[in-house]
Amino acid sequence: MRTQVGIVGAGPAGLFLAHLLARRGIEAVVLEARSRAHVEARVRAGVLEAGTVDTLANLGLDGRMRREGMVDNGLDMRFRGRTIHLDLPALTGRSVMIYGQLEVVKDLIAARLEAGAPLVFEAEVTRLEGLDGARPRIHYRQGGIDRVLECDLVAGCDGFHGVSRAAVPEGVIETYSRAYDFSWLGVLAHAAPITDMTYSNHDRGFALCSRRSMTISRLYLQVPASDEPANWSDARFWDELHTRMFDADRSEIQEGEIFQRDVARLRAYIAQPMQYGSLFLAGDAVHIVPPAGAKGLNMAVADVRVLARAMGDFFSTGSRKGLERYTADCIDRVWKTIRFSISLTDLLHVFDHHTPFQRGLQMAELEHVASSVTAQKMIAEQYVGLSSVSD
Ligand code: APR
Ligand code: PHB
């Protein structure tokens, strides 16, 4: 099999890239190790920056998001029983969209399959060959048979544990990372959400109340790294959430049946350069954000917008200039976005190693945000998104 761009992975990065390339008339084959059902069942964050919404709109894939998504104009932070309300349009002129990443992925898959464009599930890429030449080859295994996809360019969109980054020769890529010794327990519950997206820093730990619809809440608690979903009965979860959200009389947060639970370890990671020869890496394959701020999908989309444009120039003019600049065009935004996610994480979580002095400094920073419109603007403009690249 031969194509112009071989895309490894059908997460948000690979799927958005495939659509952006198709719009430019560029052929691609997407190879995904897991089944469609598996990919469509992975629950992730649900906040889309304006740039991500614009990309969906430009692709003509925003129909269901416009009907079912919810424009979100607010971001609240609680501490010491008080609430700081960030009015996003007033502070930035923009807002964000609440629409689950899972739903975005389903929409992108359905549209690609409807168009009859190649997207192969249960096709695990095992090896990349010839990345330093003009004819790279992707080796993959499908239905027990080893196959090869020849292409002009390879897009490594296969997440943190994928094969693409690992195919780059040693010494080319520098990595930077920060580990956290806690996780987020996330649940979905059949319960009407509270009015605003609300982050809370309580002495017992961080909590977050988000939503997926008017009847489904998406809720998170900071838990020890080794914790497991099974340790959290519904009753224990609700008790802890009320406490950490300063809702002691249980008048604010509605309870309901919890129908999904997951635990995810927090980590920050950057690999650079984001390319080697004919291989271009995007999304979780080259950077991981801690989840506060919900930047994972938005970062992946911002990456592939730049990449699709550079690939478009390459196939229409033969010029490699845009491709050569891919890392340079992305990397400042990547560092800034990870810096923001880390600063939000640092501001809102309880750290075991913190001394009372450090806890005092954290509270002082929240007091400063509460009293300074400038400080609120700094958070809000990063929350709505820094990406300025158009499609
Ligand atoms: N062959 C083919 N596919 C692979 C291989 C492989 N060897 N290894 C991994 N994959 C697939 C995974 O099964 C997954 O579907 O690559 C995909 C990577 O998708 P994500 O992990 O979602 O990464 P990305 O598309 O960069 O998404 C960025 O979305 O999923 C979230 O946490 C992620 O928020 C982040 C954002
Ligand atoms: C979510 O809705 O899943 C969500 C919202 C905000 C975050 C992270 C996740 O910071």
Side-chain angles (χ1 to χ4, degrees):
M1 197 163 40
R2 243 210 83 69
T3 191
Q4 289 178 292
V5 181
I7 301 179
V8 188
L15 290 167
F16 268 101
L17 179 63
H19 281 285
L20 289 167
L21 293 175
R23 211 184 46 156
R24 292 177 155 85
I26 299 166
E27 269 178 35
V29 174
V30 186
L31 300 172
E32 165 57 49
R34 313 302 297 256
S35 68
R36 179 177 181 182
H38 178 92
V39 172
E40 292 190 341
R42 286 190 298 223
V43 177
R44 298 273 168 78
V47 181
L48 308 186
E49 293 176 356
T52 302
V53 169
D54 289 348
T55 299
L56 275 169
N58 293 344
L59 290 168
L61 296 175
D62 57 338
R64 192 159 73 93
M65 178 199 70
R66 300 275 178 210
R67 290 193 302 278
E68 297 177 16
M70 292 165 286
V71 172
D72 201 10
N73 290 325
L75 170 61
D76 287 7
M77 288 189 224
R78 282 188 193 171
F79 70 113
R80 293 177 167 162
R82 289 165 38 209
T83 301
I84 309 167
H85 177 70
L86 305 193
D87 178 333
L88 301 175
L91 292 165
T92 69
R94 291 189 286 166
S95 49
V96 296
M97 174 73 83
I98 306 275
Y99 187 61
Q101 174 172 322
L102 184 59
E103 308 307 326
V104 176
V105 163
K106 282 187 205 161
D107 294 347
L108 296 176
I109 290 174
R112 183 143 180 101
L113 295 178
E114 261 164 44
L119 163 55
V120 192
F121 290 100
E122 298 177 69
E124 185 178 5
V125 173
T126 50
R127 194 159 64 84
L128 304 180
E129 188 194 343
L131 294 174
D132 48 1
R135 283 273 173 280
R137 289 155 68 88
I138 302 178
H139 294 260
Y140 65 103
R141 202 170 168 77
Q142 187 197 3
I145 298 169
D146 290 322
R147 299 170 196 262
V148 178
L149 174 65
E150 278 189 20
C151 37
D152 299 302
L153 303 173
V154 180
C157 300
D158 46 350
F160 186 68
H161 300 289
V163 295
S164 300
R165 192 183 65 249
V168 176
E170 213 160 304
V172 173
I173 290 184
E174 293 271 2
T175 63
Y176 308 84
S177 64
R178 170 159 171 192
Y180 293 87
D181 54 7
F182 49 80
S183 297
W184 275 17
L185 166 68
V187 310
L188 284 168
H190 291 295
I194 63 172
T195 317
D196 282 313
M197 171 84 71
T198 306
Y199 295 76
S200 184
N201 182 334
H202 186 277
D203 288 342
R204 291 179 61 85
F206 165 87
L208 167 60
C209 289
S210 178
R211 64 191 190 276
R212 287 293 175 272
S213 72
M214 293 316 289
T215 55
I216 296 181
S217 293
R218 176 69 170 155
L219 309 161
Y220 297 95
L221 291 176
Q222 174 187 358
V223 298
S226 57
D227 215 335
E228 284 176 25
N231 296 337
W232 288 85
S233 67
D234 286 21
R236 182 181 175 208
F237 182 86
W238 292 117
D239 283 350
E240 196 64 30
L241 188 69
H242 286 295
T243 304
R244 294 193 194 180
M245 295 300 293
F246 302 93
D247 181 33
D249 65 1
R250 295 175 172 254
S251 61
E252 185 188 24
I253 296 169
Q254 270 203 26
E255 299 181 16
E257 183 211 347
I258 295 177
F259 61 96
Q260 196 271 345
R261 296 170 162 75
D262 55 82
V263 170
R265 181 83 181 256
L266 272 67
R267 103 164 77 216
Y269 174 88
I270 299 180
Q272 74 180 75
M274 297 162 65
Q275 64 196 93
Y276 170 73
S278 306
L279 171 68
F280 300 86
L281 301 159
D284 276 19
V286 260
H287 35 65
I288 300 280
V289 278
K295 294 297 180 196
L297 170 133
N298 296 295
M299 286 253 275
V301 174
D303 292 346
V304 298
R305 275 202 303 250
V306 177
L307 186 54
R309 180 184 281 184
M311 288 181 167
D313 286 349
F314 172 68
F315 286 110
S316 61
T317 68
S319 162
R320 293 188 75 94
K321 272 211 177 107
L323 290 176
E324 278 159 15
R325 271 204 330 264
Y326 170 58
T327 300
D329 285 347
C330 289
I331 205 72
D332 288 349
R333 167 187 47 78
V334 167
W335 277 92
K336 283 194 274 186
T337 306
I338 292 200
R339 191 215 67 82
F340 170 65
S341 305
I342 286 178
S343 73
L344 208 55
T345 307
D346 285 347
L347 181 64
L348 294 168
H349 290 73
V350 172
F351 292 80
D352 283 345
H353 64 265
H354 269 183
T355 60
F357 180 57
Q358 287 169 305
R359 181 79 179 146
L361 293 176
Q362 207 186 29
M363 290 296 121
E365 190 172 345
L366 283 162
E367 292 287 356
H368 177 60
V369 175
S371 62
S372 162
V373 174
T374 308
Q376 293 178 9
K377 269 194 178 161
M378 280 182 62
I379 293 174
E381 76 173 11
Q382 297 176 86
Y383 181 71
V384 299
L386 293 173
S387 178
S388 56
V389 178
S390 60
D391 297 317

